[in-house]
Amino acid sequence: MLKNPFREAHYLLNAHRIDQLPADTGAEIAFAGRSNAGKSSALNAICDQQGLARTSKTPGRTQQLVVFPLDETHRLIDLPGYGYAKVPDKLREHWRGTIDAYLRTRESLKGLVLVMDARHPLREFDRQMLAFGAATGRPCHCLLTKSDKLSRSEGARVLAEVRKTLTAEAPLSSAQLFSSLAKTGLDEARALLAGWLFGTPEARSA
Ligand code: GTP
Ligand code: MG
């Protein structure tokens, strides 16, 4: 059994601007997706720590870039959700500008986890994120979360459809079914993300 390196994750800081982030060295992975998709819950499930990132029934919970180091050179970043209409225009513009700048300039960003509600995958902003990954050569792993809300056959159908689109539009990307609630898809997600951060997962086995 491999050690779960994500159990080491701990809260460091909230960044309102990108110059407040830790030095741009080492390797990090960002969790992106529509507001309320389940980004923070997915991060917690992967790290096997319930209260690590703050979650909420109300969209717009994560309001800054939240930094969770695993050690001195490896980090996870929880991003504010996009597409949430109720935040004031000025704040939404600020987030959008900040996330864009982060994605464009952050050299330690090794890959993106694109969290999508399995019932509503590949909306406009999700596609923009995939296009961004493709344009900058970064891998993008889609977590089709809340899959506990779908039957097994519906889940399989959604996954096949999403994979088909990815093959056509975003060749560096991948997808899987996931549920933070039912705790399904965790090992698959951990193995893939550990590979981005550390090379092969075996490199981190105890
Ligand atoms: P923002 O930070 O507001 O953008 O949201 P987020 O994407 O971080 O979502 P969050 O993790 O806060 O979850 C939003 C809601 O979805 C909460 O009520 C969660 O309990 C619920 N949720 C998250 N993951 C799952 C899941 O796998 N299954 C089910 N059924 N509900 C989930
Ligand atoms: Mg959140």
Side-chain angles (χ1 to χ4, degrees):
M1 182 74 176
L2 296 177
K3 190 176 161 219
N4 172 9
F6 299 101
R7 287 194 80 160
E8 306 296 323
H10 52 279
Y11 170 77
L12 177 66
L13 56 82
N14 274 28
H16 186 64
R17 304 186 312 266
I18 51 177
D19 62 5
Q20 296 166 329
L21 289 169
D24 191 6
T25 56
E28 69 190 30
I29 293 173
F31 284 62
R34 292 174 60 81
S35 191
N36 213 42
K39 297 174 293 299
S40 301
S41 303
L43 192 149
N44 289 345
I46 287 167
C47 297
D48 196 16
Q49 299 181 55
Q50 272 297 335
L52 185 62
R54 295 178 72 182
T55 64
S56 166
K57 281 196 178 64
T58 318
R61 168 73 265 173
T62 308
Q63 307 221 337
Q64 292 172 321
L65 287 82
V66 191
V67 182
F68 300 99
L70 278 57
D71 56 36
E72 279 176 18
T73 51
H74 302 96
R75 298 170 295 273
L76 302 179
I77 311 286
D78 193 16
L79 296 177
Y82 39 77
Y84 178 47
K86 280 193 189 161
V87 293
D89 283 354
K90 220 175 151 191
L91 184 60
R92 198 170 53 230
E93 282 308 303
H94 169 78
W95 287 352
R96 180 163 261 242
T98 304
I99 294 173
D100 282 357
Y102 169 77
L103 295 173
R104 269 187 288 105
T105 61
R106 192 77 174 164
E107 289 189 2
S108 53
L109 180 63
K110 297 298 174 209
L112 286 166
V113 176
L114 179 53
V115 180
M116 301 187 279
D117 187 321
R119 296 165 298 177
H120 316 288
L122 297 172
R123 296 285 176 91
E124 185 196 340
F125 286 117
D126 302 321
R127 284 171 182 265
Q128 285 177 16
M129 200 58 75
L130 285 170
F132 163 80
T136 60
R138 289 197 181 87
C140 201
H141 186 56
C142 300
L143 291 183
L144 300 171
T145 194
K146 308 193 187 184
S147 62
D148 53 279
K149 304 264 193 189
L150 298 179
S151 69
R152 195 177 279 257
S153 61
E154 284 169 334
R157 183 185 55 76
V158 170
L159 179 60
E161 269 176 25
V162 168
R163 282 183 170 159
K164 200 170 150 193
T165 306
L166 297 183
T167 304
E169 294 179 16
L172 280 175
S173 56
S174 48
Q176 66 161 104
L177 292 170
F178 190 88
S179 168
S180 306
L181 188 78
K183 305 219 179 304
T184 51
L186 296 180
D187 286 344
E188 187 179 351
R190 284 177 189 140
L192 192 132
L193 302 193
W196 286 355
L197 283 183
F198 302 108
T200 60
E202 289 74 17
R204 284 280 293 193
S205 62

